[in-house]
Amino acid sequence: MDFEKPGVGARLSQLSYLLKNTFTIIGRDKDILSPIIRMCVYAVLVVVLFFAGIAAIVIGLGGAGTLLLLAMVVVFIYKFFYYNHQELRLSRLVYDTACGRDASVQTAREELADLKGSVRILGLIDMAGAWVALRRGNGGLVTRLILGALIEIWDLVNHFLLPVFAIDKLSFREGGERLYTLKNHVPETLAGVFGIDIMGGVVRTILGPLYLIAIILGIVLGLAAGSIMPTAFSAGPLGDLFSSIPDGLPFDEQTLFNWLPLFVLIFFTFVGNAIFGRLVTAIKVIYFTLFYTRIAHADSLAHDIREELDGYLNLSDGGSTSAEVSPSDPATGQT
């Protein structure tokens, strides 16, 4: 197989095609949006609890602030299980929709009721992955490379396992065996997951300047309106913060600076990042579910969606692909 690194223009074209076809799948049944919305709301809740706790402490409500931060820790830990639960539900809804059935949240909930053990194991492994990601920056170059590879491998395996569990409801041992039978399709899926990650990076790069503008705007507003904002967020006169203020600036040592605008704008950037992260994950779940269905359950697909899938799964329009996806027998992994 010949894989070529696409340029920026090609990546943006792939991103457009990916999003268009993702929305096409969602448009077939709006119930697919339910787990995506739930994950986004939960991600925002984690951010809100954290910033609310900090704000409460700043304004003198230390007890309430501590409780909010403790609640944030609990919600943060539980998110690893909650997200996997919703991702499994999303995978099942996408599968039912791709097969031409009327997908419903209630039906998906009933179908996945006996997968609580798998959700717990996936959540624990994700927690370990988050810990590894934190440790990644503390080691040398070789250590960082090894830990980074482990994180990417788990990301791939995790998104492979989700449809295996959601569609065929296999155990972890059986899921591992199923993954082995799909080994011939790893190059295509690697291209897909890396393509989605790269495109997510492109979007983050585009949003980067907006975040910088938000920070600058927060500082400007904190200087311009510092004297009329809540004193709890006041940093005091600039003269107390800096030994000297250069001449020619529109403020001096007596200008009051208030942290509130910067605090609020940083809060909104965190909210945006949290939502964006969940949307990228949802796209991966949809992509891998359709990929697995195309390989292992091709006969179950609705006829009008089969031709669309080849271009979608290879992130290319019109059939010009870097790797051809063809259905295989899941028992052998052969095409």
Side-chain angles (χ1 to χ4, degrees), residues 7-249:
V8 175
R11 292 176 188 174
L12 291 176
S13 176
Q14 289 176 342
L15 175 60
S16 173
Y17 189 71
L18 175 68
L19 293 178
K20 181 187 73 175
N21 284 275
T22 299
F23 285 124
T24 298
I25 297 297
I26 294 174
R28 288 173 173 262
D29 198 310
K30 298 299 189 296
D31 280 3
I32 293 176
L33 286 173
S34 176
I36 299 176
I37 293 172
R38 288 172 181 267
M39 286 192 291
C40 289
V41 170
Y42 195 95
V44 172
L45 174 63
V46 176
V47 176
V48 168
L49 287 173
F50 175 74
F51 278 85
I54 298 297
I57 292 173
V58 169
I59 65 177
L61 300 176
T66 301
L67 289 176
L68 286 168
L69 290 177
L70 288 174
M72 185 277 297
V73 172
V74 173
V75 172
F76 180 84
I77 294 174
Y78 182 68
K79 77 173 185 177
F80 295 103
F81 307 98
Y82 184 80
Y83 288 160
N84 275 293
H85 175 74
Q86 295 300 327
E87 288 165 18
L88 282 169
R89 185 178 296 178
L90 172 61
S91 181
R92 184 70 197 194
L93 290 169
V94 170
Y95 171 73
D96 287 341
T97 300
C99 293
R101 293 191 286 268
D102 181 21
S104 72
V105 174
Q106 180 61 34
T107 300
R109 185 184 298 115
E110 294 172 355
E111 289 285 347
L112 303 175
D114 56 348
L115 293 181
K116 294 180 180 178
S118 298
V119 170
R120 284 192 289 269
I121 295 174
L122 286 171
L124 289 172
I125 297 177
D126 278 352
M127 289 177 64
W131 181 81
V132 169
L134 289 175
R135 297 284 298 174
R136 181 181 179 183
N138 298 330
L141 176 60
V142 175
T143 301
R144 290 199 299 271
L145 289 174
I146 293 174
L147 294 181
L150 288 174
I151 293 170
E152 292 297 335
I153 290 172
W154 170 242
D155 185 53
L156 178 64
V157 172
N158 178 56
H159 286 93
F160 249 137
L161 285 175
L162 285 170
V164 170
F165 293 152
I167 296 171
D168 293 322
K169 294 185 282 188
L170 303 180
S171 66
F172 250 89
R173 180 183 62 80
E174 294 168 332
E177 293 172 355
R178 177 59 57 86
L179 289 185
Y180 181 76
T181 66
L182 299 177
K183 63 183 182 299
N184 291 337
H185 297 279
V186 167
E188 296 102 308
T189 51
L190 278 173
V193 70
F194 289 159
I196 294 170
D197 283 338
I198 289 172
M199 286 180 264
V202 170
V203 174
R204 284 192 173 94
T205 301
I206 294 173
L207 293 177
L210 297 180
Y211 295 152
L212 179 60
I213 292 173
I215 292 173
I216 294 174
L217 180 61
I219 294 174
V220 171
L221 291 175
L223 289 170
S227 60
I228 62 174
M229 290 188 173
T231 57
F233 285 88
S234 177
L238 288 181
D240 295 343
L241 300 175
F242 303 99
S243 57
S244 62
I245 304 296
D247 295 332
L249 296 177

